[in-house]
Amino acid sequence: MCQLLGMNCNVPTDVTFSFTGFAQRGGKTDHHSDGWGIAFFEDKGLRHFVDHQAAVESPVAELIRRYPIKSKNVIAHIRKATQGVVSLQNCHPFVRELWGRYWVFAHNGDLKDFRPRLHSHFRPVGDTDSEHAFCWIMQELAKSHASVPSIPELTLTLKELAARISPHGTFNFLLSNGQALWAHATTSLYYLERRHPFGEAHLSDEDLKLDFSQETSEKDEVSVVVTSPLTRNEAWKAFGKGELVVFSEGRRLEV
Amino acid sequence: MCQLLGMNCNVPTDVTFSFTGFAQRGGKTDHHSDGWGIAFFEDKGLRHFVDHQAAVESPVAELIRRYPIKSKNVIAHIRKATQGVVSLQNCHPFVRELWGRYWVFAHNGDLKDFRPRLHSHFRPVGDTDSEHAFCWIMQELAKSHASVPSIPELTLTLKELAARISPHGTFNFLLSNGQALWAHATTSLYYLERRHPFGEAHLSDEDLKLDFSQETSEKDEVSVVVTSPLTRNEAWKAFGKGELVVFSEGRRLEV
């Protein structure tokens, strides 16, 4: 199974601490060594890094661990190939442009017999079920709205679309357009909302701890979504099966 | 004026040597410090790096100089902002997907009053004339062909499109879909075809030389396109005004 990591914040925040633990799962504490990727929004702009080397060995992952890129919306993925060969074009997250915004998508799971005809202009470049599903979502979003809708409107549309894909298999995914982070779970997905008062966090995958009270201001709010809890001493909440949650400005929105 | 660098090869080749000289123009030997970017194709996959820091200071550029990413098609750009603020979404090269392939575009120059209506689905994310022109090119390509055309067919279409944009100003650009590299010049653009027998090259922007005969095999062919010659001792050819050239498998094609 692949591993997902998402972060949504109210102020640009670096993901160095979480990524350090997460990257260990790419070939060290877990066996997901078929590539990895990460995307950071900066306003509407995007930094997108993919590599088909294992995240623990990748010089690009080393850069991310050392260079604190600050972002309000981050999506990362470590790949264990189930469908599609190990190649750069099959590395998540995938990116497309719609309505003058970039959209970033990463998927964990396996979809069976989900290859709907893509009659619009979004086409997969690689050969994964995941990118095919993403292109279908983009196609359906483009048909459902004339321009970027509000976050609640988009959330309702995404709930409908996720419900149509979910019967085909395991569909844990993260999606962001730089305004919000959407997360959908079939099997394993957890989230955490960090806000004042901040405490100390201990990584599960590496012997490293960080006192967030030293790194943050009282107004900071950060939500983290991940396949399995990244820290040992914080209260991660499990997603329900088929649950789609949207995070904006660092907190879960009720839609 | 911005700076462009393109490379097209018959075998995956690293761009470390050329990029080392080129990156000096981002804030050191020339004053283009409003961001930079580079894209490397690996088969149909793409590594895309953008940064709004000056290339001489950017940790991401440092990574590119040290990590020899091998690619058959590379496009790099150093930005001097003429239109659009300094922000990540305005950094070239820009990327879009069409017909299941990524397309990468970088522009040097300034277009006046070229804001044609974009009636299709390609929309700029940032606010540069360059990204607007790229979206228009993608729109017109999508209308002209049903799927990825042959390189000569695409070249003819691109010649027509470039001729329609060129009257609006300076339109030096590089475009690649991973199969070929197209280059169009209004003012300053040079190219070089390196093939057997290889010799020694001396960078113009830094005191560095490289003996390509030690780094290559007899079959290697590499074309490099750049705003101004990167080396002091090789026979760079200047583009004519309005000339569009396509490079495939490391050499110029006559179309």
Side-chain angles (χ1 to χ4, degrees):
Chain A
M1 202 170 69
C2 306
Q3 296 267 340
L4 296 171
L5 169 66
M7 187 176 75
N8 170 272
C9 320
N10 66 340
V11 292
T13 303
D14 78 70
V15 75
T16 312
F17 177 73
S18 295
F19 185 75
T20 298
F22 183 69
Q24 297 302 313
R25 299 179 183 179
K28 195 168 161 190
T29 59
D30 203 350
H31 47 79
H32 306 97
S33 46
D34 298 333
W36 66 281
I38 189 166
F40 304 80
F41 279 96
E42 286 183 35
D43 186 14
K44 294 166 75 182
L46 189 72
R47 294 177 194 265
H48 178 224
F49 301 89
V50 279
D51 205 346
H52 43 53
Q53 291 190 57
V56 285
E57 289 160 10
S58 157
V60 187
E62 179 61 23
L63 172 85
I64 309 293
R65 281 193 293 268
R66 286 166 181 249
Y67 179 31
I69 296 171
K70 288 181 185 290
S71 171
K72 290 174 70 177
N73 286 285
V74 178
I75 290 180
H77 182 274
I78 294 174
R79 183 161 184 250
K80 171 80 191 111
T82 51
Q83 292 187 28
V85 297
V86 178
S87 66
L88 198 63
Q89 61 259 38
N90 285 340
C91 289
H92 308 221
F94 302 103
V95 182
R96 291 293 185 278
E97 175 269 312
L98 174 62
W99 302 313
R101 275 207 168 262
Y102 295 120
W103 298 74
V104 172
F105 175 87
H107 168 220
N108 150 354
D110 208 10
L111 297 172
K112 307 283 185 202
D113 308 319
F114 185 74
R115 294 275 171 169
R117 201 172 84 79
L118 298 169
H119 52 75
S120 175
H121 50 272
F122 297 101
R123 297 292 157 92
V125 174
D127 51 9
T128 61
D129 53 343
S130 307
E131 192 185 8
H132 198 103
F134 175 43
C135 288
W136 183 80
I137 289 173
M138 296 308 291
Q139 165 185 300
E140 298 301 309
L141 282 183
K143 289 193 319 205
S144 306
H145 304 277
S147 61
V148 187
S150 70
I151 293 171
E153 280 180 302
L154 255 173
T155 306
L156 293 175
T157 307
L158 286 168
K159 282 184 178 180
E160 289 173 17
L161 299 177
R164 286 168 64 187
I165 300 179
S166 292
H168 295 271
T170 309
F171 197 48
N172 306 303
F173 77 78
L174 300 175
L175 176 76
S176 180
N177 66 352
Q179 296 177 309
L181 175 71
W182 289 269
H184 177 267
T186 306
T187 51
S188 188
L189 209 55
Y190 293 82
Y191 75 95
L192 184 70
E193 293 169 289
R194 288 194 187 112
R195 60 173 74 108
H196 183 76
F198 290 94
E200 199 175 71
H202 301 253
L203 281 184
S204 307
D205 297 83
E206 192 164 274
D207 189 17
L208 189 67
K209 59 188 179 181
L210 184 69
D211 184 356
F212 283 108
S213 67
Q214 303 297 313
E215 309 277 331
T216 49
S217 84
E218 289 191 8
K219 289 180 184 166
D220 292 2
E221 302 197 27
V222 177
S223 291
V224 179
V225 186
V226 74
T227 297
S228 62
L230 277 173
T231 56
R232 286 176 276 157
N233 64 326
E234 294 178 291
W236 293 84
K237 293 175 196 153
F239 278 64
K241 185 175 179 179
E243 190 175 19
L244 188 138
V245 177
V246 57
F247 300 90
S248 172
E249 300 299 323
R251 56 169 67 195
R252 178 183 178 148
L253 291 187
E254 296 304 330
V255 177
Chain B
M1 202 170 69
C2 308
Q3 296 267 341
L4 296 171
L5 169 66
M7 187 177 75
N8 170 271
C9 318
N10 66 341
V11 292
T13 304
D14 77 69
V15 74
T16 312
F17 177 74
S18 294
F19 186 74
T20 297
F22 183 69
Q24 297 302 313
R25 300 179 183 179
K28 196 168 162 190
T29 58
D30 203 350
H31 47 78
H32 307 98
S33 46
D34 299 333
W36 67 282
I38 190 165
F40 303 81
F41 278 95
E42 286 183 33
D43 186 15
K44 294 165 76 183
L46 190 72
R47 295 176 193 265
H48 178 223
F49 301 88
V50 280
D51 205 347
H52 42 54
Q53 290 190 58
V56 285
E57 291 159 9
S58 158
V60 187
E62 178 62 22
L63 171 85
I64 309 292
R65 280 192 294 268
R66 284 165 182 250
Y67 179 32
I69 296 170
K70 288 182 185 290
S71 171
K72 290 174 68 177
N73 285 284
V74 178
I75 290 180
H77 182 272
I78 294 174
R79 182 160 185 250
K80 171 78 191 115
T82 50
Q83 292 188 30
V85 296
V86 178
S87 66
L88 198 62
Q89 61 260 38
N90 285 341
C91 288
H92 309 221
F94 302 103
V95 182
R96 291 293 185 278
E97 175 269 312
L98 174 62
W99 302 313
R101 276 206 167 262
Y102 296 120
W103 297 74
V104 172
F105 174 86
H107 168 220
N108 150 354
D110 206 11
L111 298 172
K112 306 286 185 200
D113 308 318
F114 184 73
R115 294 276 169 167
R117 200 172 84 80
L118 297 169
H119 52 75
S120 176
H121 50 272
F122 297 101
R123 296 293 157 92
V125 173
D127 50 9
T128 60
D129 53 342
S130 307
E131 193 185 8
H132 198 103
F134 176 43
C135 289
W136 183 81
I137 289 173
M138 296 308 291
Q139 165 186 299
E140 298 301 310
L141 283 183
K143 288 191 322 203
S144 305
H145 304 277
S147 60
V148 186
S150 69
I151 293 171
E153 280 179 303
L154 254 172
T155 305
L156 293 175
T157 307
L158 286 168
K159 282 183 178 179
E160 290 173 17
L161 299 178
R164 286 167 65 188
I165 300 179
S166 292
H168 295 271
T170 309
F171 196 48
N172 306 304
F173 77 77
L174 299 176
L175 176 77
S176 180
N177 66 351
Q179 296 177 309
L181 174 71
W182 289 270
H184 177 266
T186 307
T187 51
S188 188
L189 209 55
Y190 294 81
Y191 75 95
L192 184 68
E193 292 168 288
R194 288 194 187 114
R195 61 174 74 108
H196 183 76
F198 291 94
E200 198 174 72
H202 301 254
L203 280 183
S204 307
D205 298 81
E206 192 164 271
D207 189 16
L208 190 68
K209 59 187 177 183
L210 184 69
D211 184 356
F212 283 108
S213 67
Q214 302 298 312
E215 310 277 332
T216 48
S217 84
E218 288 193 7
K219 291 180 182 165
D220 292 1
E221 302 198 28
V222 177
S223 292
V224 180
V225 187
V226 73
T227 298
S228 62
L230 277 174
T231 56
R232 284 176 277 157
N233 63 326
E234 295 177 291
W236 294 84
K237 292 174 196 152
F239 279 64
K241 185 175 179 178
E243 190 176 17
L244 187 138
V245 176
V246 58
F247 300 90
S248 173
E249 300 299 325
R251 57 169 65 196
R252 178 182 178 149
L253 292 186
E254 296 304 330
V255 177

